[in-house]
Coordinates of all heavy atoms in Angstrom, one line a residue:
M1 N 13.0 -4.4 15.9 CA 12.2 -5.7 15.9 C 11.2 -5.6 14.8 O 10.4 -4.6 14.8 CB 11.4 -5.9 17.2 CG 12.0 -6.9 18.2 SD 12.0 -8.6 17.6 CE 10.7 -9.3 18.6
P2 N 11.2 -6.4 13.8 CA 10.2 -6.4 12.7 C 8.8 -6.6 13.3 O 8.6 -7.4 14.3 CB 10.6 -7.4 11.7 CG 11.8 -8.1 12.2 CD 12.1 -7.5 13.6
K3 N 7.8 -6.0 12.7 CA 6.4 -6.2 13.1 C 6.0 -7.6 12.7 O 6.5 -8.1 11.7 CB 5.5 -5.2 12.3 CG 5.8 -3.7 12.6 CD 4.8 -3.3 13.6 CE 5.0 -1.8 13.9 NZ 4.5 -1.4 15.2
P4 N 5.1 -8.2 13.6 CA 4.6 -9.5 13.2 C 3.7 -9.5 12.0 O 3.0 -8.5 11.9 CB 3.9 -9.9 14.5 CG 3.5 -8.7 15.2 CD 4.6 -7.7 14.8
C5 N 3.7 -10.5 11.2 CA 2.8 -10.6 10.1 C 1.4 -10.8 10.6 O 1.2 -11.4 11.7 CB 3.2 -11.7 9.1 SG 4.7 -11.4 8.2
L6 N 0.4 -10.2 9.9 CA -1.0 -10.4 10.3 C -1.4 -11.9 10.1 O -0.9 -12.5 9.2 CB -1.9 -9.5 9.5 CG -1.7 -8.0 9.7 CD1 -2.7 -7.2 8.9 CD2 -1.7 -7.6 11.1
T7 N -2.3 -12.3 11.0 CA -2.8 -13.7 10.8 C -3.9 -13.6 9.7 O -4.3 -12.6 9.3 CB -3.6 -14.1 12.1 OG1 -4.7 -13.2 12.3 CG2 -2.7 -14.1 13.3
D8 N -4.3 -14.8 9.2 CA -5.2 -14.9 8.1 C -6.5 -14.1 8.5 O -7.2 -13.4 7.8 CB -5.6 -16.3 7.8 CG -4.5 -17.0 7.0 OD1 -3.5 -16.3 6.6 OD2 -4.5 -18.2 6.8
E9 N -6.9 -14.3 9.8 CA -8.1 -13.7 10.3 C -8.0 -12.2 10.3 O -8.9 -11.4 9.9 CB -8.4 -14.3 11.7 CG -9.9 -14.1 12.1 CD -10.1 -14.5 13.6 OE1 -9.3 -15.4 14.1 OE2 -11.1 -14.0 14.1
E10 N -6.8 -11.7 10.8 CA -6.6 -10.3 10.9 C -6.6 -9.7 9.5 O -7.1 -8.6 9.2 CB -5.3 -10.0 11.6 CG -5.3 -10.2 13.1 CD -4.0 -10.2 13.7 OE1 -2.9 -10.5 13.0 OE2 -3.9 -9.9 15.0
L11 N -6.0 -10.4 8.5 CA -6.0 -9.9 7.2 C -7.4 -9.8 6.6 O -7.7 -8.8 5.9 CB -5.1 -10.9 6.3 CG -3.7 -10.6 6.1 CD1 -3.0 -11.8 5.5 CD2 -3.5 -9.3 5.3
T12 N -8.2 -10.8 6.8 CA -9.5 -10.8 6.2 C -10.3 -9.7 6.8 O -11.0 -8.9 6.0 CB -10.2 -12.2 6.6 OG1 -9.4 -13.2 6.2 CG2 -11.6 -12.2 6.0
T13 N -10.2 -9.4 8.1 CA -10.9 -8.3 8.7 C -10.4 -7.0 8.1 O -11.2 -6.1 7.8 CB -10.6 -8.3 10.2 OG1 -11.0 -9.6 10.7 CG2 -11.4 -7.2 10.9
A14 N -9.1 -6.8 8.0 CA -8.5 -5.6 7.5 C -8.9 -5.3 6.1 O -9.2 -4.2 5.7 CB -7.0 -5.6 7.7
L15 N -8.9 -6.3 5.3 CA -9.2 -6.2 3.8 C -10.7 -5.8 3.6 O -11.0 -5.1 2.6 CB -8.7 -7.4 3.0 CG -7.2 -7.5 2.8 CD1 -6.9 -8.9 2.2 CD2 -6.7 -6.4 1.9
A16 N -11.5 -6.4 4.4 CA -12.9 -6.1 4.3 C -13.2 -4.6 4.5 O -14.2 -4.1 4.0 CB -13.7 -6.9 5.4
D17 N -12.3 -3.9 5.1 CA -12.5 -2.5 5.4 C -11.6 -1.6 4.5 O -11.5 -0.4 4.7 CB -12.1 -2.3 6.9 CG -12.6 -1.0 7.5 OD1 -13.7 -0.7 7.1 OD2 -11.8 -0.3 8.2
L18 N -11.0 -2.2 3.5 CA -10.0 -1.5 2.7 C -10.5 -1.6 1.2 O -10.2 -2.6 0.5 CB -8.6 -2.1 2.8 CG -7.6 -1.5 3.7 CD1 -6.3 -2.2 3.6 CD2 -7.4 0.0 3.3
D19 N -11.1 -0.6 0.7 CA -11.7 -0.5 -0.6 C -10.6 -0.7 -1.7 O -9.6 0.0 -1.7 CB -12.3 0.8 -0.9 CG -13.8 0.7 -1.0 OD1 -14.3 -0.4 -0.6 OD2 -14.5 1.7 -1.4
G20 N -10.7 -1.7 -2.6 CA -9.8 -1.8 -3.7 C -8.6 -2.7 -3.5 O -7.8 -2.9 -4.5
W21 N -8.4 -3.1 -2.3 CA -7.1 -3.9 -2.0 C -7.4 -5.4 -1.9 O -8.4 -5.8 -1.3 CB -6.5 -3.4 -0.7 CG -6.0 -2.0 -0.8 CD1 -6.6 -0.9 -0.6 CD2 -4.6 -1.7 -1.1 NE1 -5.8 0.2 -0.8 CE2 -4.6 -0.2 -1.1 CE3 -3.4 -2.4 -1.4 CZ2 -3.4 0.5 -1.4 CZ3 -2.3 -1.7 -1.6 CH2 -2.2 -0.3 -1.6
T22 N -6.5 -6.2 -2.5 CA -6.7 -7.6 -2.4 C -5.4 -8.3 -2.0 O -4.3 -7.7 -2.1 CB -7.2 -8.2 -3.7 OG1 -6.2 -7.8 -4.8 CG2 -8.6 -7.8 -4.1
L23 N -5.5 -9.4 -1.5 CA -4.3 -10.2 -1.1 C -3.7 -10.8 -2.3 O -4.4 -11.5 -3.1 CB -4.7 -11.3 -0.1 CG -3.6 -11.9 0.7 CD1 -2.8 -11.0 1.6 CD2 -4.2 -13.0 1.6
E24 N -2.4 -10.6 -2.5 CA -1.7 -11.3 -3.6 C -1.7 -12.8 -3.4 O -1.6 -13.3 -2.3 CB -0.3 -10.7 -3.6 CG 0.6 -11.1 -4.7 CD 1.9 -10.5 -4.6 OE1 2.8 -11.1 -3.9 OE2 2.2 -9.4 -5.2
E25 N -1.7 -13.5 -4.6 CA -1.5 -14.9 -4.5 C -0.3 -15.3 -3.7 O 0.8 -14.7 -4.0 CB -1.5 -15.5 -5.9 CG -1.9 -16.9 -6.0 CD -1.8 -17.4 -7.5 OE1 -2.4 -16.7 -8.4 OE2 -1.3 -18.4 -7.7
G26 N -0.4 -16.1 -2.8 CA 0.7 -16.5 -1.9 C 0.7 -15.8 -0.6 O 1.3 -16.2 0.4
G27 N -0.1 -14.7 -0.5 CA -0.4 -14.1 0.8 C 0.6 -13.2 1.3 O 0.5 -12.7 2.5
K28 N 1.7 -12.8 0.5 CA 2.8 -12.1 1.1 C 2.6 -10.6 0.9 O 3.5 -9.8 1.4 CB 4.1 -12.5 0.4 CG 4.5 -13.9 0.6 CD 5.1 -14.1 2.0 CE 5.7 -15.5 2.1 NZ 5.7 -16.0 3.5
A29 N 1.6 -10.1 0.2 CA 1.5 -8.7 -0.1 C 0.0 -8.4 -0.4 O -0.8 -9.3 -0.7 CB 2.3 -8.3 -1.3
I30 N -0.3 -7.1 -0.3 CA -1.6 -6.6 -0.7 C -1.4 -5.7 -1.9 O -0.3 -5.0 -2.0 CB -2.4 -5.9 0.4 CG1 -1.6 -4.8 1.0 CG2 -2.8 -6.9 1.5 CD1 -2.4 -4.0 2.0
T31 N -2.3 -5.7 -2.8 CA -2.2 -4.9 -4.1 C -3.4 -4.1 -4.4 O -4.5 -4.5 -4.0 CB -1.8 -5.8 -5.3 OG1 -2.9 -6.7 -5.5 CG2 -0.6 -6.6 -5.1
A32 N -3.2 -3.0 -5.1 CA -4.4 -2.2 -5.5 C -4.0 -1.4 -6.8 O -2.8 -1.1 -7.0 CB -4.8 -1.2 -4.4
G33 N -4.9 -1.2 -7.6 CA -4.7 -0.3 -8.8 C -5.5 0.9 -8.7 O -6.7 0.9 -8.4
F34 N -4.9 2.1 -8.8 CA -5.6 3.4 -8.7 C -5.6 4.0 -10.1 O -4.6 3.9 -10.9 CB -4.8 4.3 -7.8 CG -4.9 3.9 -6.4 CD1 -3.9 3.1 -5.8 CD2 -5.9 4.3 -5.5 CE1 -3.9 2.7 -4.5 CE2 -5.9 4.0 -4.2 CZ -4.9 3.2 -3.7
K35 N -6.8 4.6 -10.5 CA -6.9 5.2 -11.8 C -7.3 6.7 -11.6 O -8.1 7.0 -10.7 CB -8.1 4.6 -12.6 CG -7.7 3.3 -13.3 CD -7.4 3.7 -14.8 CE -7.3 2.4 -15.6 NZ -6.2 2.3 -16.5
F36 N -6.7 7.5 -12.4 CA -6.9 9.0 -12.2 C -7.3 9.6 -13.6 O -7.3 8.9 -14.6 CB -5.7 9.7 -11.7 CG -5.3 9.1 -10.3 CD1 -4.4 8.0 -10.2 CD2 -5.9 9.6 -9.1 CE1 -4.1 7.5 -9.0 CE2 -5.5 9.1 -7.9 CZ -4.6 8.1 -7.8
A37 N -7.7 10.8 -13.5 CA -8.1 11.5 -14.8 C -7.0 11.6 -15.8 O -7.2 11.5 -17.0 CB -8.6 12.9 -14.4
D38 N -5.8 11.8 -15.3 CA -4.7 12.0 -16.3 C -3.4 11.8 -15.5 O -3.4 11.5 -14.3 CB -4.8 13.5 -16.9 CG -5.0 14.5 -15.8 OD1 -4.6 14.3 -14.6 OD2 -5.4 15.6 -16.1
F39 N -2.3 12.1 -16.2 CA -0.9 11.9 -15.6 C -0.7 12.8 -14.4 O -0.2 12.3 -13.4 CB 0.1 12.0 -16.7 CG 1.5 11.9 -16.1 CD1 2.0 10.7 -15.6 CD2 2.3 13.1 -16.0 CE1 3.3 10.7 -15.1 CE2 3.6 13.0 -15.5 CZ 4.1 11.8 -15.0
P40 N -1.0 14.1 -14.5 CA -0.7 15.0 -13.4 C -1.5 14.5 -12.1 O -0.9 14.6 -11.0 CB -1.3 16.4 -13.8 CG -1.1 16.3 -15.3 CD -1.4 14.9 -15.7
A41 N -2.7 14.0 -12.3 CA -3.4 13.6 -11.1 C -2.8 12.3 -10.5 O -2.7 12.1 -9.3 CB -4.9 13.3 -11.5
A42 N -2.3 11.4 -11.4 CA -1.7 10.2 -10.9 C -0.4 10.5 -10.2 O -0.1 10.0 -9.1 CB -1.4 9.2 -12.1
F43 N 0.4 11.4 -10.8 CA 1.7 11.7 -10.2 C 1.5 12.5 -9.0 O 2.3 12.4 -8.0 CB 2.5 12.5 -11.2 CG 4.0 12.5 -10.8 CD1 4.8 11.4 -11.0 CD2 4.5 13.7 -10.3 CE1 6.1 11.5 -10.6 CE2 5.8 13.7 -9.9 CZ 6.6 12.6 -10.1
G44 N 0.4 13.4 -8.9 CA 0.1 14.1 -7.7 C -0.2 13.2 -6.6 O 0.2 13.4 -5.4
F45 N -0.9 12.1 -6.9 CA -1.2 11.1 -5.8 C 0.1 10.5 -5.3 O 0.2 10.4 -4.1 CB -2.1 10.0 -6.5 CG -2.2 8.7 -5.7 CD1 -2.9 8.7 -4.5 CD2 -1.5 7.6 -6.1 CE1 -3.0 7.5 -3.8 CE2 -1.6 6.4 -5.4 CZ -2.4 6.3 -4.3
M46 N 1.0 10.2 -6.1 CA 2.3 9.6 -5.7 C 3.0 10.6 -4.8 O 3.6 10.3 -3.8 CB 3.1 9.2 -6.9 CG 2.4 8.0 -7.6 SD 3.3 7.6 -9.1 CE 4.5 6.3 -8.6
A47 N 3.0 11.9 -5.3 CA 3.7 13.0 -4.5 C 3.1 13.2 -3.1 O 3.8 13.5 -2.2 CB 3.6 14.3 -5.4
T48 N 1.7 13.0 -3.1 CA 1.1 13.1 -1.8 C 1.4 11.9 -0.8 O 1.7 12.1 0.4 CB -0.5 13.1 -1.9 OG1 -0.8 14.3 -2.8 CG2 -1.2 13.2 -0.6
C49 N 1.5 10.7 -1.4 CA 1.8 9.5 -0.6 C 3.2 9.4 -0.2 O 3.5 8.8 0.9 CB 1.4 8.3 -1.4 SG -0.4 8.1 -1.7
A50 N 4.2 9.9 -1.0 CA 5.6 9.7 -0.7 C 6.0 10.2 0.7 O 6.7 9.5 1.4 CB 6.4 10.3 -1.8
P51 N 5.7 11.4 1.1 CA 6.1 11.9 2.4 C 5.5 11.1 3.5 O 6.1 10.9 4.6 CB 5.6 13.3 2.5 CG 5.3 13.8 1.1 CD 4.9 12.5 0.3
T52 N 4.3 10.6 3.3 CA 3.6 9.7 4.3 C 4.4 8.4 4.5 O 4.7 8.0 5.6 CB 2.2 9.4 3.9 OG1 1.5 10.6 3.7 CG2 1.5 8.6 4.9
A53 N 4.8 7.9 3.4 CA 5.6 6.6 3.4 C 6.9 6.9 4.1 O 7.3 6.0 4.9 CB 5.8 6.1 2.0
E54 N 7.5 8.0 3.7 CA 8.8 8.3 4.3 C 8.7 8.5 5.8 O 9.5 8.0 6.6 CB 9.4 9.5 3.6 CG 10.8 9.9 4.1 CD 11.9 8.8 3.9 OE1 11.6 7.8 3.2 OE2 12.9 9.0 4.5
K55 N 7.7 9.2 6.2 CA 7.4 9.4 7.7 C 7.2 8.1 8.4 O 7.7 7.9 9.6 CB 6.2 10.3 7.8 CG 6.4 11.4 9.0 CD 5.2 12.3 9.0 CE 5.2 13.3 7.9 NZ 3.9 14.1 7.8
M56 N 6.5 7.2 7.7 CA 6.3 5.9 8.4 C 7.5 5.0 8.3 O 7.5 3.9 8.9 CB 5.1 5.2 7.6 CG 3.8 5.8 7.9 SD 2.5 4.9 6.8 CE 2.5 3.3 7.5
D57 N 8.5 5.4 7.5 CA 9.6 4.5 7.2 C 9.1 3.2 6.6 O 9.5 2.1 6.9 CB 10.5 4.2 8.4 CG 11.8 3.6 8.0 OD1 12.3 3.8 6.8 OD2 12.4 2.9 8.8
H58 N 8.1 3.3 5.7 CA 7.5 2.1 5.1 C 7.1 2.5 3.7 O 6.3 3.4 3.5 CB 6.2 1.7 5.9 CG 5.8 0.4 5.6 ND1 6.5 -0.7 5.8 CD2 4.7 -0.1 4.9 CE1 5.9 -1.8 5.4 NE2 4.8 -1.4 4.8
H59 N 7.7 1.8 2.7 CA 7.8 2.3 1.3 C 7.0 1.3 0.4 O 7.2 0.1 0.5 CB 9.2 2.5 0.9 CG 9.9 3.5 1.8 ND1 10.7 3.0 2.9 CD2 10.0 4.8 1.8 CE1 11.1 4.1 3.5 NE2 10.7 5.2 2.9
P60 N 6.2 1.9 -0.5 CA 5.4 1.1 -1.4 C 6.3 0.6 -2.6 O 7.3 1.3 -3.0 CB 4.4 2.1 -1.9 CG 5.0 3.4 -1.8 CD 5.9 3.4 -0.6
E61 N 5.9 -0.5 -3.1 CA 6.4 -0.9 -4.5 C 5.3 -0.4 -5.4 O 4.1 -0.8 -5.2 CB 6.5 -2.4 -4.6 CG 7.6 -3.0 -3.6 CD 7.5 -4.5 -3.6 OE1 7.1 -5.1 -4.6 OE2 7.9 -5.0 -2.6
W62 N 5.6 0.5 -6.3 CA 4.6 1.0 -7.2 C 5.1 1.4 -8.5 O 6.3 1.5 -8.7 CB 3.9 2.2 -6.5 CG 4.7 3.4 -6.0 CD1 6.1 3.5 -6.3 CD2 4.3 4.5 -5.3 NE1 6.5 4.7 -5.7 CE2 5.4 5.3 -5.1 CE3 3.1 4.9 -4.8 CZ2 5.3 6.5 -4.4 CZ3 3.0 6.1 -4.1 CH2 4.1 6.9 -3.9
S63 N 4.1 1.4 -9.5 CA 4.5 1.8 -10.8 C 3.4 2.7 -11.4 O 2.2 2.5 -11.0 CB 4.8 0.6 -11.7 OG 3.6 -0.1 -11.9
N64 N 3.8 3.6 -12.3 CA 2.9 4.5 -12.9 C 3.0 4.4 -14.4 O 4.0 4.4 -15.0 CB 3.2 5.9 -12.4 CG 2.7 7.0 -13.3 OD1 3.4 7.8 -13.8 ND2 1.4 7.0 -13.4
V65 N 1.8 4.3 -15.0 CA 1.7 4.4 -16.5 C 0.5 5.4 -16.7 O -0.6 5.1 -16.4 CB 1.3 3.0 -17.1 CG1 1.2 3.2 -18.6 CG2 2.5 2.0 -16.8
Y66 N 0.9 6.5 -17.3 CA -0.1 7.6 -17.6 C -1.0 7.9 -16.4 O -0.5 8.5 -15.5 CB -0.8 7.2 -18.9 CG -1.9 8.2 -19.2 CD1 -1.7 9.6 -19.2 CD2 -3.2 7.8 -19.6 CE1 -2.7 10.5 -19.6 CE2 -4.2 8.8 -19.9 CZ -3.9 10.1 -19.9 OH -4.9 11.0 -20.2
N67 N -2.2 7.4 -16.5 CA -3.2 7.8 -15.4 C -3.4 6.7 -14.4 O -4.3 6.8 -13.6 CB -4.5 8.2 -16.0 CG -5.2 7.0 -16.7 OD1 -4.6 6.1 -17.0 ND2 -6.5 7.1 -16.9
S68 N -2.6 5.7 -14.4 CA -2.8 4.6 -13.4 C -1.5 4.4 -12.5 O -0.4 4.6 -13.0 CB -3.1 3.3 -14.1 OG -2.0 2.8 -14.8
V69 N -1.8 4.0 -11.3 CA -0.7 3.7 -10.3 C -1.0 2.3 -9.7 O -2.1 2.2 -9.1 CB -0.6 4.8 -9.2 CG1 0.5 4.4 -8.3 CG2 -0.4 6.2 -9.8
D70 N -0.2 1.4 -9.9 CA -0.3 0.0 -9.4 C 0.6 -0.1 -8.1 O 1.8 0.3 -8.2 CB 0.1 -1.0 -10.4 CG -1.0 -1.1 -11.5 OD1 -2.2 -0.9 -11.2 OD2 -0.6 -1.3 -12.7
V71 N 0.0 -0.5 -7.1 CA 0.7 -0.5 -5.8 C 0.8 -1.9 -5.2 O -0.3 -2.6 -5.2 CB 0.0 0.4 -4.8 CG1 0.9 0.5 -3.5 CG2 -0.2 1.8 -5.3
R72 N 1.9 -2.3 -4.7 CA 2.1 -3.5 -3.9 C 2.7 -3.2 -2.6 O 3.7 -2.5 -2.5 CB 3.0 -4.5 -4.7 CG 3.2 -5.8 -4.0 CD 4.2 -6.7 -4.8 NE 4.3 -8.0 -4.3 CZ 5.2 -8.5 -3.5 NH1 6.2 -7.6 -3.1 NH2 5.2 -9.7 -3.0
L73 N 2.0 -3.6 -1.5 CA 2.5 -3.3 -0.2 C 2.8 -4.6 0.5 O 2.0 -5.6 0.6 CB 1.5 -2.5 0.6 CG 1.1 -1.2 0.1 CD1 0.0 -0.5 1.0 CD2 2.3 -0.3 0.0
T74 N 4.1 -4.6 1.1 CA 4.5 -5.8 1.9 C 5.5 -5.2 2.9 O 6.1 -4.2 2.6 CB 5.1 -6.9 1.0 OG1 5.4 -8.0 1.8 CG2 6.4 -6.4 0.3
T75 N 5.8 -5.9 4.0 CA 6.8 -5.5 4.9 C 8.0 -6.4 4.7 O 8.0 -7.6 5.1 CB 6.2 -5.6 6.3 OG1 5.1 -4.8 6.4 CG2 7.3 -5.1 7.3
H76 N 9.0 -5.9 4.0 CA 10.1 -6.7 3.6 C 10.8 -7.3 4.9 O 11.2 -8.5 4.9 CB 11.1 -5.9 2.8 CG 10.5 -5.3 1.6 ND1 10.2 -3.9 1.4 CD2 10.1 -5.9 0.4 CE1 9.6 -3.7 0.3 NE2 9.5 -4.9 -0.4
D77 N 10.9 -6.5 5.9 CA 11.6 -6.9 7.1 C 10.9 -8.1 7.8 O 11.6 -8.8 8.6 CB 11.7 -5.8 8.2 CG 12.5 -4.6 7.7 OD1 13.3 -4.8 6.7 OD2 12.3 -3.4 8.2
S78 N 9.6 -8.3 7.5 CA 8.9 -9.3 8.2 C 8.5 -10.5 7.2 O 8.0 -11.5 7.7 CB 7.5 -8.7 8.7 OG 7.8 -7.6 9.5
G79 N 8.7 -10.2 5.9 CA 8.4 -11.3 5.0 C 6.9 -11.5 4.7 O 6.5 -12.6 4.4
G80 N 6.1 -10.4 4.9 CA 4.6 -10.6 4.7 C 3.9 -9.3 5.0 O 4.5 -8.2 5.0
V81 N 2.6 -9.4 5.2 CA 1.8 -8.2 5.4 C 1.7 -8.0 6.9 O 1.4 -8.9 7.7 CB 0.4 -8.5 4.9 CG1 -0.5 -7.2 5.1 CG2 0.4 -8.8 3.3
T82 N 2.0 -6.7 7.3 CA 1.8 -6.3 8.7 C 0.9 -5.1 8.8 O 0.4 -4.6 7.8 CB 3.2 -5.9 9.3 OG1 3.6 -4.7 8.7 CG2 4.3 -6.9 9.1
E83 N 0.7 -4.7 10.0 CA -0.2 -3.5 10.2 C 0.3 -2.3 9.5 O -0.4 -1.4 9.2 CB -0.3 -3.2 11.7 CG 0.9 -2.8 12.4 CD 0.8 -2.5 13.9 OE1 0.0 -3.2 14.6 OE2 1.4 -1.6 14.4
L84 N 1.6 -2.2 9.3 CA 2.2 -1.1 8.5 C 1.6 -1.0 7.1 O 1.3 0.1 6.6 CB 3.7 -1.2 8.5 CG 4.5 -1.0 9.8 CD1 5.9 -1.2 9.6 CD2 4.2 0.5 10.3
D85 N 1.5 -2.1 6.5 CA 0.9 -2.2 5.1 C -0.6 -1.7 5.1 O -1.0 -1.0 4.2 CB 1.0 -3.6 4.5 CG 2.5 -4.0 4.5 OD1 3.2 -3.3 3.8 OD2 2.8 -5.0 5.1
I86 N -1.3 -2.1 6.1 CA -2.7 -1.7 6.2 C -2.8 -0.2 6.5 O -3.6 0.5 5.9 CB -3.4 -2.5 7.4 CG1 -3.2 -4.0 7.2 CG2 -4.8 -2.1 7.5 CD1 -3.8 -4.6 5.9
K87 N -1.9 0.3 7.3 CA -1.9 1.7 7.7 C -1.6 2.5 6.4 O -2.3 3.5 6.1 CB -0.8 2.0 8.7 CG -1.3 2.8 9.9 CD -0.2 2.8 10.9 CE -0.2 4.1 11.7 NZ 0.9 4.2 12.7
L88 N -0.6 2.1 5.7 CA -0.3 2.8 4.4 C -1.3 2.7 3.3 O -1.6 3.7 2.6 CB 1.1 2.3 3.9 CG 1.7 3.0 2.7 CD1 1.8 4.6 3.0 CD2 3.1 2.5 2.4
A89 N -1.9 1.5 3.2 CA -3.0 1.3 2.3 C -4.2 2.3 2.6 O -4.8 2.9 1.7 CB -3.5 -0.1 2.3
R90 N -4.5 2.5 3.9 CA -5.6 3.4 4.3 C -5.2 4.8 3.9 O -6.0 5.5 3.4 CB -5.8 3.3 5.8 CG -6.8 2.3 6.2 CD -7.3 2.5 7.6 NE -7.6 1.2 8.2 CZ -7.0 0.7 9.2 NH1 -6.0 1.3 9.8 NH2 -7.3 -0.5 9.6
A91 N -4.0 5.2 4.2 CA -3.5 6.5 3.8 C -3.6 6.8 2.3 O -3.9 7.9 1.9 CB -2.1 6.8 4.4
M92 N -3.3 5.7 1.6 CA -3.3 5.9 0.1 C -4.7 6.0 -0.4 O -5.0 6.8 -1.3 CB -2.6 4.7 -0.6 CG -1.1 4.7 -0.4 SD -0.3 3.3 -1.2 CE 1.0 4.1 -2.0
N93 N -5.6 5.3 0.2 CA -7.0 5.4 -0.2 C -7.5 6.8 0.1 O -8.3 7.4 -0.7 CB -7.9 4.4 0.5 CG -7.9 3.0 -0.1 OD1 -7.1 2.8 -1.1 ND2 -8.7 2.1 0.3
K94 N -7.1 7.3 1.2 CA -7.5 8.7 1.6 C -6.9 9.7 0.6 O -7.6 10.6 0.1 CB -7.0 9.0 3.0 CG -7.9 9.9 3.8 CD -7.4 9.9 5.3 CE -8.0 11.1 6.0 NZ -7.3 11.3 7.3
A95 N -5.7 9.5 0.3 CA -5.0 10.4 -0.7 C -5.7 10.4 -2.1 O -5.7 11.4 -2.8 CB -3.5 10.1 -0.8
A96 N -6.2 9.2 -2.4 CA -6.8 9.1 -3.8 C -8.2 9.7 -3.8 O -8.7 10.0 -4.9 CB -6.9 7.6 -4.1
G97 N -8.7 10.0 -2.6 CA -10.0 10.7 -2.5 C -11.2 9.8 -2.7 O -11.2 8.7 -3.1
Ligands
H2B101 C1 16.0 0.3 7.7 C2 14.6 0.7 7.3 O1 13.9 1.1 8.4 C3 13.9 -0.5 6.7 O2 14.7 -1.0 5.6 C4 12.5 -0.2 6.3 C5 12.4 0.8 5.1 N1 11.2 0.7 4.4 C6 10.5 -0.4 4.3 N2 9.4 -0.5 3.5 C7 8.7 -1.7 3.4 N3 7.7 -1.8 2.6 N4 9.1 -2.8 4.1 C8 10.1 -2.7 5.0 O3 10.4 -3.7 5.6 C9 10.8 -1.5 5.1 N5 11.9 -1.4 5.9

């Protein structure tokens, strides 16, 4: 059973507590851009997050250019943002330090 999408109110509350994340236009995903000192630090961040995502069976859409990692989180099975995206966003913020 796919997780239910968060209501507008739940989203607002969750985002208020999530540094750096904003709701994508259209409301189907949350996005954040992470900046690091250099490429090894950016790639290290991705390497830290990947096993967490795999364990959650919830996978980010992300891209890396040199020292930056741009992330988009959405729950494909649900067609929008669910608690899984918020959980993964929190874990990513923690991993970024
Ligand atoms: C079968 C498997 O559990 C699903 O395809 C999972 C895998 N990872 C996923 N990741 C994300 N971001 N959204 C999903 O709906 C999703 N579904």
Side-chain angles (χ1 to χ4, degrees):
M1 255 297 249
K3 296 265 182 204
C5 290
L6 299 184
T7 63
D8 286 352
E9 200 185 335
E10 287 168 336
L11 264 172
T12 305
T13 306
L15 285 171
D17 199 37
L18 261 181
D19 252 12
W21 291 84
T22 53
L23 192 61
E24 187 181 82
E25 204 178 310
K28 298 280 189 209
I30 55 174
T31 62
F34 293 90
K35 276 262 191 222
F36 299 91
D38 51 22
F39 176 70
F43 197 76
F45 165 73
M46 296 173 90
T48 300
C49 292
T52 305
E54 182 59 13
K55 219 176 284 168
M56 288 175 65
D57 192 29
H58 196 64
H59 302 93
E61 297 172 25
W62 55 6
S63 63
N64 160 237
V65 178
Y66 177 48
N67 65 339
S68 70
V69 179
D70 291 322
V71 185
R72 180 179 188 266
L73 297 180
T74 186
T75 303
H76 303 107
D77 297 340
S78 308
V81 181
T82 68
E83 65 180 36
L84 290 174
D85 300 301
I86 303 301
K87 231 175 149 178
L88 186 54
R90 269 199 212 110
M92 289 181 134
N93 278 8
K94 212 169 159 194

